């Protein structure tokens, strides 16, 4: 690969990054060499190991890790700590992956940090050319992971919340040296890489567990939960279990934003009168995992007052996660991309929009459990429009989605259509929907990334 040393603009920085192998775009091209930490360790060493110089919380899981990470970031920022947040993928632009106090990285900083990383990447490329035992050319995600650690170090964050990209054991983020680790709920996702049972996937997620480092285990299913806790036991990592040690008392009837009368940890009431800024009852468990991490951090000396928890949790937002956009009709954006997330979306709609006519716009990645997602979503919608996001080659053929919807439920054929272009799909649905209806766009981060600016009137 030819060196790219002349990075003068944001476009140059993006061109450099997107020239690297990108698993987010080519999941089906992954090889065993793709998932090796040796390449990431060498890259970090060339950058003087920034991950070793910042306090970190490491968050893994199939469902909820993004929400937990955002909750932690908001609470710690509210408590006065300069807080980094590394998540993936981004929705509209690259800087959204790297936030400090919930503000995305600006273009000038992207250019600066990429300029610092390029010599290390070029050295790795040279090393790769000299041997054939292992692919040493850093990938897009490895470079962005190194970017996050370097950026947070240069900005002197007090703590960084780092979300796992995929799995845990061999994920690029797993070179970090966390104060606390957390694992959210486990579900079937990326089965071709992580394993085809919940227990195998749990073992991969538990790869982030470090010797002697506290773990907050948010997995509630007994089988995978036991796998995680057995690995923690083997590594002498103290476990705070959501199923055993955390008690949540909801505050009566739930609105879109759940209210909690109290959250207790190990039979001590720690927080009262909480409101979760993210919609959906499934966020209650995510909030419990988040508060378990906060509890562990306070035991390590972080000062987080109850008012900071209350305000931070109520103010948390995650773009594209049950994001309701006003209009006539209103639009709900949700990045649900596996069966667990799809079921949570269905539960949310049945609870809060049971009397509303619903219109679905759906696109999925071909490596996802497309049939299961479609089967869960389709029955509750008045109309179903199947499309194909345009800016990532992983999008599944809409005909496969159509077959998944119509074959098991022939009565859905009359209200199911294929409109391949997402913007045309949205316009088609808007023409048919009435002012009181709800349009639901879901199935993939990439679909939300393409349509969110359109829904918001920015394009």
């Amino acid at each position: 690969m030819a060196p790219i040393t002349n990075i003068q603009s944001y476009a140059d920085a993006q061109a450099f990054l997107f020239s690297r192998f990108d698993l987010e775009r080519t999941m089906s091209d992954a090889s065993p060499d793709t998932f090796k930490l040796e390449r990431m360790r060498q890259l970090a060493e060339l950058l003087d190991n920034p991950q070793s110089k910042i306090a970190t919380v490491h968050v893994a899981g199939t469902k909820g890790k993004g929400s937990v990470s955002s909750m932690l970031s908001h609470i710690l920022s509210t408590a006065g700590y300069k807080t980094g947040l590394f998540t993936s993928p981004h929705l509209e632009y690259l800087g959204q992956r790297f936030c400090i106090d919930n503000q995305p990285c600006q273009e000038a900083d992207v250019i600066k940090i990429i300029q610092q990383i390029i010599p290390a990447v070029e050295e790795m490329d040279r090393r790769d050319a000299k041997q054939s035992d292992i692919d040493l050319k850093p990938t897009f995600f490895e470079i962005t992971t190194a970017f996050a650690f370097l950026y947070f170090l240069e900005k002197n964050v007090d703590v960084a919340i780092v979300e796992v990209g995929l799995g845990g054991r061999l994920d690029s983020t797993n070179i970090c040296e966390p104060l606390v680790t957390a694992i959210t709920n486990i579900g079937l996702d990326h089965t071709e890489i992580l394993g085809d049972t919940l227990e195998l996937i749990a073992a991969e997620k538990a790869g982030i567990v470090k010797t002697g480092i506290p773990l907050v285990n948010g997995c509630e299913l007994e089988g995978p939960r036991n796998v995680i806790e057995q690995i923690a036991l083997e590594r002498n990592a103290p476990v705070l279990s959501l199923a055993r040690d955390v008690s949540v008392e909801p505050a009566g009837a739930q609105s879109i934003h759940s209210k909690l009368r109290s959250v207790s940890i190990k039979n001590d009431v720690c927080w009262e009168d909480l409101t979760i800024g993210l919609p959906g009852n499934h966020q209650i468990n995510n909030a419990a995992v988040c508060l378990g991490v906060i509890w562990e951090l306070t035991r390590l000396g972080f000062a987080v007052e109850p008012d900071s928890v209350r305000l931070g949790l109520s103010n948390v937002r995650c773009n594209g996660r049950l994001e309701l956009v006003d209009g006539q009709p209103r639009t709900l954006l949700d990045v649900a991309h596996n069966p667990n997330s799809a079921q949570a979306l269905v539960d949310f709609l049945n609870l809060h929009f049971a009397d509303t006519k619903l219109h679905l716009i759906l696109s999925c990645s071909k490596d996802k459990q497309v049939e299961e997602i479609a089967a869960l979503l389709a029955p509750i919608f008045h109309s179903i429009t199947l499309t194909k996001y345009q800016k990532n080659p992983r999008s599944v053929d809409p005909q496969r989605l159509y077959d998944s919807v119509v074959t098991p439920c022939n009565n859905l054929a009359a209200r199911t259509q294929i409109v391949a272009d997402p913007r045309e799909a949205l316009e088609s649905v808007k023409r048919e929907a009435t002012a009181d209806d709800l349009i639901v766009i879901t199935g993939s981060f990439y679909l939300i990334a393409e349509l969110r600016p359109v829904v918001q009137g920015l394009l």
Side-chain angles (χ1 to χ4, degrees):
M1 183 172 294
I4 304 178
T5 57
N6 187 28
I7 301 297
Q8 299 297 326
S9 68
Y10 183 67
D12 291 339
Q14 284 193 326
F16 165 71
L17 280 172
F18 295 138
S19 72
R20 311 301 297 193
F21 175 76
D22 184 357
L23 189 63
E24 292 173 10
R25 296 181 58 82
T26 54
M27 182 69 71
S28 61
D29 295 337
S31 69
D33 271 356
T34 305
F35 304 99
K36 290 185 183 295
L37 282 180
E38 177 58 27
R39 185 171 52 230
M40 188 67 216
R41 291 193 181 101
Q42 288 193 37
L43 178 61
E45 185 176 2
L46 288 168
L47 296 169
D48 199 24
N49 289 311
Q51 79 284 356
S52 299
K53 301 171 185 177
I54 53 177
T56 304
V57 174
H58 202 193
V59 184
T62 305
K63 173 176 162 38
K65 63 181 184 291
S67 297
V68 169
S69 297
S70 293
M71 291 175 186
L72 287 167
S73 176
H74 277 77
I75 291 172
L76 290 168
S77 293
T78 303
Y81 292 100
K82 191 173 187 179
T83 306
L85 175 64
F86 176 49
T87 59
S88 60
H90 59 273
L91 282 180
E92 291 96 352
Y93 58 94
L94 184 70
Q96 292 172 327
R97 295 177 183 244
F98 325 101
C99 294
I100 295 178
D101 291 336
N102 306 300
Q103 297 302 309
C105 181
Q106 299 300 301
E107 291 186 2
D109 284 314
V110 171
I111 297 167
K112 178 182 176 183
I113 299 298
I114 290 296
Q115 287 173 336
Q116 295 177 47
I117 291 176
I118 280 179
V121 173
E122 291 179 340
E123 170 58 24
M124 293 288 292
D125 287 348
R126 285 191 289 271
R127 292 179 184 181
D128 179 76
K130 295 177 181 179
Q131 56 83 55
S132 59
D133 294 339
I134 181 175
D135 183 356
L136 289 176
K137 298 185 293 295
T139 67
F140 173 89
F141 188 73
E142 287 162 345
I143 296 169
T144 54
T145 300
F147 182 115
F149 291 133
L150 196 57
Y151 177 55
F152 295 153
L153 178 63
E154 292 214 349
K155 294 298 184 179
N156 296 309
V157 301
D158 298 310
V159 60
I161 313 303
V162 176
E163 177 193 0
V164 166
L166 189 154
R169 181 174 64 92
L170 296 176
D171 187 73
S172 302
T173 63
N174 205 26
I175 66 166
C176 72
E177 300 173 16
L179 299 173
V180 181
T181 61
I183 299 175
T184 63
N185 262 322
I186 301 297
L188 293 174
D189 199 7
H190 300 297
T191 53
E192 72 287 354
I193 296 170
L194 302 179
D196 57 4
T197 69
L198 294 177
E199 287 75 14
L200 287 172
I201 292 173
E204 289 295 320
K205 305 290 185 184
I208 71 167
V209 177
K210 304 293 188 296
T211 300
I213 301 301
L215 164 70
V216 178
N217 185 8
C219 181
E220 297 181 293
L221 293 172
E222 183 177 4
R225 182 178 75 239
N226 289 342
V227 168
I228 293 168
E229 296 194 0
Q230 179 59 38
I231 291 172
L233 179 65
E234 293 168 359
R235 297 178 187 177
N236 197 31
V239 177
L240 182 71
S241 173
L242 189 65
R244 182 178 59 248
D245 301 315
V246 182
S247 177
V248 177
E249 185 182 359
Q254 298 296 304
S255 65
I256 287 179
H257 297 281
S258 297
K259 298 181 183 298
L260 310 178
R261 183 169 288 111
S262 67
V263 177
S264 304
I265 294 182
K266 295 191 173 180
N267 297 318
D268 290 329
V269 175
C270 297
W271 301 279
E272 296 179 308
D273 300 324
L274 301 175
T275 299
I276 303 172
L278 299 178
N281 284 348
H282 61 286
Q283 296 295 354
I284 293 176
N285 287 347
N286 293 332
V289 174
C290 166
L291 295 176
V293 173
I294 294 295
W295 186 80
E296 291 287 5
L297 288 174
T298 60
R299 285 158 53 87
L300 293 171
F302 283 74
V304 185
E305 297 298 325
D307 283 347
S308 296
V309 171
R310 192 172 294 112
L311 185 59
L313 195 60
S314 66
N315 286 338
V316 66
R317 300 291 184 272
C318 277
N319 293 342
R321 287 178 172 85
L322 292 179
E323 181 181 7
L324 191 61
V325 181
D326 285 337
Q328 292 184 323
R330 290 179 294 175
T331 303
L332 185 73
L333 302 162
D334 192 53
V335 295
H337 58 278
N338 56 48
N340 294 76
S341 299
Q343 184 61 59
L345 172 58
V346 168
D347 293 343
F348 175 80
L349 292 169
N350 283 336
L351 182 60
H352 298 293
F353 294 93
D355 298 325
T356 303
K357 188 181 292 184
L358 305 175
H359 304 271
L360 174 65
I361 299 176
L362 178 67
S363 181
C364 298
S365 296
K366 63 184 70 173
D367 53 290
K368 298 296 183 178
Q369 294 170 282
V370 173
E371 287 76 17
E372 291 89 339
I373 293 169
L376 283 167
L377 293 172
I380 69 170
F381 285 90
H382 174 77
S383 76
I384 301 165
T385 300
L386 307 171
T387 188
K388 182 176 183 179
Y389 55 78
Q390 303 294 298
K391 298 179 181 179
N392 187 301
R394 286 169 58 191
S395 183
V396 72
D397 185 340
Q399 185 62 49
R400 180 179 166 192
L401 285 173
Y402 184 89
D403 294 341
S404 301
V405 168
V406 172
T407 301
C409 302
N410 289 328
N411 63 320
L412 295 178
R415 47 194 171 102
T416 302
Q417 64 173 343
I418 293 176
V419 181
D421 182 86
R423 294 182 68 166
E424 292 178 7
L426 178 59
E427 290 304 314
S428 173
V429 174
K430 287 171 69 174
R431 286 193 296 268
E432 296 301 321
T434 67
D436 294 330
D437 294 352
L438 179 70
I439 299 172
V440 179
I441 304 173
T442 191
S444 172
F445 274 90
Y446 306 113
L447 179 65
I448 301 303
E450 291 183 21
L451 288 185
R452 184 171 183 265
V454 180
V455 170
Q456 292 180 318
L458 301 177
L459 290 179

